[in-house]
Amino acid sequence: MRVRAAYLGLTPFAAYVLLFLAIPTLLAVATGFVGPDGGFTLADVAALLDPAVLSAFGSSFWVSAVTAVIGAVVGALVCYALLGTRPDGPLRAVVDSISSVLAQFGGVMLAFAFIATIGIQGIVTVLLKGWGVDIYADGVWLYQVPGLLFPYLYFQVPLMVITFMPAMEGLKPQWAEANAVLGGSRATYWWRIAFPILAPSFFGSLLLLFANAFSSYATAAALISQGSQIVPLQIRAALVSETVLGRENVAGALALGMIIVMVVLMYSYSLLQSRTERWQR
């Protein structure tokens, strides 16, 4: 009876996963294999080999990789600095609160914040022009794919702090003491003890940051109004295009490509997490 009650308690979560994850995923995959006449076709899936689509995937991989690596390194350094503070102290509480808020601060609001700050007529842009510095001398990069780097880093670094800090706190003081007793230096401790232990968690968080940037849409949609240089914007263009009709199923094929990438990332993340949990027991 208790087992049945436990399963019954999972019903709301199961319904949520079914309605908002499983069914949309199946529909996205299925529409990629449906032609305009409703029959089975591979023409839409073949569109994944189109040079424009491959270029969009390449841009998405590039932006995601750069922001994930930079965000992971900077976030890890912030976590290292926080190790010297009290876990229940005010500084740790402030950093945790700010990181939790900024990690979710994306979308149109974030895009507007950067446009108002470093846009063509942004406060910082106008101020730098007054000093003879034109950040757009070589083109308006903010409204192109490179312009996504700064907004994405804005929420990637706090996300790294949230996900990686528990692993840093899991380092036991006894390990450092044993290293010191055996004559090891601080560099030896971090290179031979701490880094091998933290590596699975670090690379797992890196994959999480990559997936977060790869699937981001709203910020890119607000900044890049013309063109569709990354995959989420390619999907939008296929769904709402008024010049090329009948491309809705191409959007399903593009979504299928994204789902494959995300499945690989999440599987790799789960493997790394299982290794991390060995040191946290």
Side-chain angles (χ1 to χ4, degrees):
M1 183 64 67
R2 292 181 178 179
V3 175
R4 293 181 180 179
Y7 282 121
L8 184 62
L10 291 175
T11 302
F13 176 74
Y16 172 82
V17 172
L18 180 66
L19 293 175
F20 297 101
L21 182 61
I23 293 179
T25 300
L26 291 175
L27 290 176
V29 172
T31 53
F33 296 95
V34 178
D37 57 351
F40 178 81
T41 180
L42 293 176
D44 295 326
V45 178
L48 292 174
L49 300 178
D50 185 89
V53 174
L54 292 177
S55 176
F57 270 98
S59 297
S60 293
F61 274 103
W62 175 76
V63 171
S64 302
V66 171
T67 57
V69 171
I70 297 177
V73 172
V74 175
L77 292 176
V78 173
C79 293
Y80 174 75
L82 289 176
L83 283 179
T85 64
R86 291 172 47 195
D88 57 346
L91 180 59
R92 179 73 66 86
V94 170
V95 173
D96 289 344
S97 300
I98 292 177
S99 298
S100 300
V101 173
L102 296 185
Q104 305 299 324
F105 187 78
V108 178
M109 292 179 60
L110 180 60
F112 172 77
F114 273 87
I115 291 174
T117 304
I118 59 173
I120 299 177
Q121 297 298 325
I123 298 175
V124 175
T125 305
V126 174
L127 182 63
L128 291 176
K129 278 187 177 180
W131 295 343
V133 178
D134 185 6
I135 61 175
Y136 295 121
D138 298 325
V140 188
W141 46 264
L142 181 63
Y143 306 108
Q144 301 174 5
V145 173
L148 297 176
L149 296 179
F150 288 109
Y152 280 19
L153 285 173
Y154 191 88
F155 55 76
Q156 292 282 64
V157 173
L159 181 60
M160 182 64 180
V161 174
I162 294 174
T163 58
F164 191 59
M165 193 62 202
M168 294 286 286
E169 291 178 328
L171 293 175
K172 298 179 180 179
Q174 294 87 337
W175 298 337
E177 294 171 359
N179 173 74
V181 169
L182 295 175
S185 63
R186 191 174 185 85
T188 302
Y189 166 73
W190 282 102
W191 181 249
R192 295 189 176 182
I193 301 175
F195 181 75
I197 293 174
L198 294 174
S201 180
F202 177 83
F203 289 112
S205 300
L206 180 68
L207 290 178
L208 188 63
L209 265 62
F210 184 95
N212 186 46
F214 188 78
S215 59
S216 294
Y217 165 75
T219 303
L223 282 177
I224 305 178
S225 59
Q226 296 181 353
S228 50
Q229 298 95 330
I230 62 175
V231 181
L233 299 188
Q234 284 273 14
I235 295 176
R236 179 190 66 175
L239 289 174
V240 304
S241 175
E242 297 180 357
T243 57
V244 182
L245 301 178
R247 297 194 64 203
E248 295 84 357
N249 294 339
V250 176
L254 293 171
L256 173 61
M258 291 193 67
I259 289 172
I260 293 174
V261 173
M262 296 299 289
V263 168
V264 173
L265 290 174
M266 292 299 100
Y267 177 72
S268 302
Y269 176 77
S270 64
L271 292 179
L272 291 170
Q273 281 296 104
S274 63
R275 295 196 61 181
T276 302
E277 290 174 356
R278 297 177 186 176
W279 297 102
Q280 295 178 346
R281 293 173 183 172

